[in-house]
Amino acid sequence: MKIHEFQAKEIFSKHGLPIPKGIIAHNAHEAEKAAKEIGTSIVVVKAQVHAGGRGKAGGVKLARSPEEAGTIAAQMIGSRLKTYQNPEGLPINSVLIEEGLDIEREFYVGITLDREVSRPVLMVSAAGGMEIEEIAKTTPELIFKEHIDPVLGLMPYQARKIAFKLDLKDKSLISQFMKIVMKLSKMYFDLDASLIEVNPLIKTKNGELICLDAKIDFDDNALFRHKDILEL
Ligand code: ADP
Ligand code: MG
């Protein structure tokens, strides 16, 4: 089962993961109000559809004023977003209004089941923003992997190993990165997820790591254990 980005981000936030300030909107009026409440000079209007690649398809747009956020929301809501995964398009019923963040670096972080070794695998790449399939094709040497022991979970030494490969340098960044991947791994098991993806995880100009995008797919066979998730 798939859920929307704003729903995944709510779950991320409950698990203590850093996400941008954001408010969901169902029409232009709500979008404008949300942008005012967020209060940053730039907000981002993000179409909520069950597909990736929204940025390239025109489903993620910058607005320089609350009025502009309202105008963009009016154009998006009620239309269909055609992405490379969904050529016939998916209906946009709501948009997430988010603070516009100053991006310095983008990383890819994903956890999914590696069927070849029957274990979950943490995959991280410094080539964030790109789809993992594309990174795997063009620069596979830039994807760092750690298999996760299903009994022990992700171990701090594994998180640290990847942090060093990403050349994060600064102590604070390494510590933030480790906390984030440890929490994502815990979430993967706690929620019976089949995929958790943060693409991109960003480093802001202020030296903070933030989950800019969030995707959680759930194992349908385990949903009976998660009534609250099923409601989403
Ligand atoms: P998708 O993966 O569906 O294209 P993302 O949420 O990853 O959607 O957004 C696409 C791109 O838009 C990001 O890689 C980032 O460059 C930009 N972006 C998204 N949200 C924000 C934000 N809150 N502030 C600044 N830039 C953003
Ligand atoms: Mg993304």
Side-chain angles (χ1 to χ4, degrees):
M1 187 184 80
K2 292 179 195 298
I3 57 172
H4 286 300
E5 176 197 9
F6 78 94
Q7 295 170 320
K9 279 182 168 157
E10 270 170 25
I11 297 175
F12 270 39
S13 177
K14 275 190 202 145
H15 284 79
L17 285 153
I19 56 161
K21 218 188 284 170
I23 299 171
I24 192 77
H26 301 90
N27 55 52
H29 175 72
E30 283 180 16
E32 193 174 328
K33 202 171 137 225
K36 270 187 201 143
E37 201 171 318
I38 290 166
T40 49
S41 57
I42 292 180
V43 294
V44 181
V45 184
K46 308 179 79 176
Q48 297 301 291
V49 293
H50 291 152
R54 293 167 304 166
K56 280 180 199 146
V60 177
K61 288 192 170 151
L62 296 185
R64 283 177 175 75
S65 67
E67 294 72 34
E68 194 184 356
T71 310
I72 295 170
Q75 286 161 358
M76 282 187 185
I77 295 166
S79 74
R80 294 176 83 85
L81 187 71
K82 289 184 188 153
T83 67
Y84 73 98
Q85 288 173 341
N86 278 283
E88 50 322 344
L90 291 168
I92 305 172
N93 297 317
S94 61
V95 292
L96 177 62
I97 309 295
E98 221 167 60
E99 62 177 319
L101 288 167
D102 242 337
I103 304 173
E104 195 176 285
R105 282 184 77 182
E106 297 192 316
F107 305 97
Y108 172 95
V109 181
I111 302 175
T112 192
L113 182 64
D114 184 345
R115 290 176 195 279
E116 271 176 34
V117 297
S118 309
R119 283 189 173 199
V121 60
L122 166 69
M123 293 177 287
V124 181
S125 163
M130 264 159 74
E131 304 304 322
I132 190 71
E133 295 84 357
E134 206 177 320
I135 308 172
K137 243 187 257 160
T138 55
T139 48
E141 69 280 6
L142 295 184
I143 302 177
F144 308 119
K145 291 185 189 173
E146 285 292 320
H147 285 99
I148 305 173
D149 185 300
V151 176
L152 300 173
L154 184 72
M155 302 293 281
Y157 81 88
Q158 296 181 294
R160 200 175 306 119
K161 204 158 115 190
I162 291 194
F164 284 120
K165 284 185 180 161
L166 291 175
D167 203 16
L168 288 175
K169 294 191 176 100
D170 175 310
K171 253 192 197 157
S172 148
L173 283 176
I174 293 172
S175 143
Q176 290 179 58
F177 177 83
M178 285 180 62
K179 279 190 192 130
I180 289 172
V181 290
M182 295 295 292
K183 281 178 185 165
L184 288 173
S185 166
K186 184 171 185 311
M187 215 164 74
Y188 178 87
F189 289 104
D190 288 354
L191 299 175
D192 290 307
S194 56
L195 171 73
I196 290 188
E197 204 177 54
V198 185
N199 189 22
L201 169 72
I202 61 155
K203 178 189 172 207
T204 65
K205 298 233 164 92
N206 303 330
E208 276 179 305
L209 293 186
I210 297 180
C211 302
L212 202 65
D213 195 3
K215 184 174 178 183
I216 309 176
D217 290 351
F218 297 93
D219 179 351
D220 293 350
N221 294 316
L223 277 176
F224 71 96
R225 293 202 283 226
H226 303 280
K227 298 269 176 327
D228 49 332
I229 291 165
L230 201 51
E231 270 171 31
L232 298 175

